[in-house]
Amino acid sequence: MPSITRLIRPDIAQLEAYTPIAPLDVLAERLGLPIERLIKLDANENPYGPSPRARAALEQEAHYAIYPDPEHQRLRAALSDYTGQSVERIVCGAGADEIIDLLLRLFLAPGDAVIDCPPTFGMYAFDTGVCGGRLVEAPRHADFALDIDAIERAAAETNAKVLFLTSPNNPTGNLTTRAEVERLLDLPLLVVVDEAYIEFTPGGGHGDLAFSSLVGQYENLAVLRTFSKWAGLAGLRVGYGLVPEAIAEHLWKIKQPYNVNLAAQVAAIASLDDRAYLEANVICLTSERERLLAALRELPFLHVYPSQANFLLCRVVAGDALALKQTLERQGILVRYYRKPLLRDCIRISVGTPEQNDTLLDALRSWEATKR
Ligand SMILES: Cc1ncc(COP(=O)(O)O)c(C=O)c1O
């Protein structure tokens, strides 16, 4: 009998597998270290975790045996208050990741183009592949600013349907400006602005740097948000899209009915009710980011890029970036290493607690000392 795999969609069969980040227990075992020794600075998670009200709400919830609200009504009402957008423009997902997938499934027919601006978040390329789309790259300039002319050319040449922008961008930490977004909104395609890290910018996602208030004013603007970063809920998988009603209507038709589990909905609602606590953690992280930036800049083997998010991108300008990542890893300090174009010799460090950052800085200083 011929192999069953010949029946698999050929484009999926050829797709490169995604390399996910290993969970803590697996990493601890691999490194031969107790979990408590690990300092996880490789996935931009929040070291302070969920808010006390979220933890209490999870404990008190009595209906885990019942399917969750498929329309996320209480969560969307709370998000409407948080974002200033109407509930009709809010669609929740199992992380912002699910909204990326849903939007692409909604817009792409096989072979349709999506414009990606690398270096950036990998899921845009991944989901474009899964949805049978064609990725068209408009790489950023050397300072990681968008190449607006290249994006406009790509749009004209490929009839692309979707463009992904990210503000602040992961892993480069820089913002997309209002002038850039407004110019790109003139293109005949869906502009998705991913604001996963917007709470770490001045204004906390409520000021001029956020594009959420423009949703609805433009028929082709969607904004993505998540509870994974500022609210410390990455493990529960909950995010949302702000989209015009005309798009929301169709997203509702294609999403899995129970896409956001009950625990995630409960914790997200309680987090929005514990904003002062979470915002205080965000302030700790942004002030730590600045302290870490200054301390890292003292190290001659690193070039550190400024960042508006909860991580710092560093280029290893003297020495081997992979060897550095591995040396840190042996000590239980996990950072993200890149080998892609424009990110050669780069590592990305998520901002940790002051103690975690001090341990990292000590390890980096010792590494420098061994190089002398
Ligand atoms: C830019 C960006 N968008 C979206 C996500 C995913 O968010 P979520 O955990 O809500 O799926 C990430 C996670 O790292 C990210 O960096």
Side-chain angles (χ1 to χ4, degrees), residues 95-97 121 124 166 170 194 196-197 226 228-229 237-238:
D97 280 352
F121 184 48
Y124 317 135
T166 318
N170 174 13
D194 184 341
Y197 301 96
T226 180
S228 295
K229 314 299 177 179
R237 314 302 302 123
V238 53

Side-chain angles (χ1 to χ4, degrees), residues 58-81:
L58 285 167
E59 224 163 274
Q60 283 153 21
E61 174 55 50
H63 299 110
Y64 287 119
I66 308 295
Y67 287 105
D69 177 4
E71 295 178 18
H72 325 127
Q73 294 171 78
R74 283 186 57 222
L75 176 54
R76 284 163 61 225
L79 280 171
S80 174
D81 179 56

Side-chain angles (χ1 to χ4, degrees), residues 24-64:
L24 273 182
D25 52 343
V26 173
L27 282 169
E29 202 177 312
R30 197 184 293 161
L31 294 169
L33 294 170
I35 284 191
E36 315 74 66
R37 272 279 309 278
L38 295 188
I39 298 182
K40 197 168 178 310
L41 307 178
D42 61 347
N44 302 339
E45 290 136 336
N46 188 323
Y48 297 107
S51 83
R53 280 189 203 169
R55 289 178 199 272
L58 285 167
E59 224 163 274
Q60 283 153 21
E61 174 55 50
H63 299 110
Y64 287 119

Side-chain angles (χ1 to χ4, degrees), residues 245-318:
E245 288 90 332
I247 295 178
E249 191 187 313
H250 297 286
L251 287 174
W252 285 110
K253 293 191 296 196
I254 63 168
K255 84 167 187 64
Q256 298 289 328
Y258 305 114
N259 62 330
V260 183
N261 71 66
L262 180 57
Q265 293 193 43
V266 162
I269 292 164
S271 299
L272 291 170
D273 193 34
D274 212 354
R275 266 180 246 176
Y277 174 90
L278 291 168
E279 281 162 10
N281 288 345
V282 166
I283 289 169
C284 288
L285 288 167
T286 51
S287 77
E288 270 301 288
R289 176 187 72 208
E290 296 311 309
R291 182 180 78 91
L292 192 57
L293 175 83
L296 292 170
R297 283 191 167 161
E298 306 260 302
L299 300 170
F301 62 95
L302 288 182
H303 173 84
V304 192
Y305 294 91
S307 167
Q308 300 290 326
N310 65 339
F311 54 81
L312 291 164
L313 183 71
C314 307
R315 196 178 297 271
V316 180
V317 290

Side-chain angles (χ1 to χ4, degrees), residues 115 136 148-160 187-189:
I115 303 177
V136 177
I148 302 289
D149 294 335
I151 294 171
E152 287 177 342
R153 267 197 313 277
E157 285 164 10
T158 65
N159 281 328
L187 294 171
L189 43 65

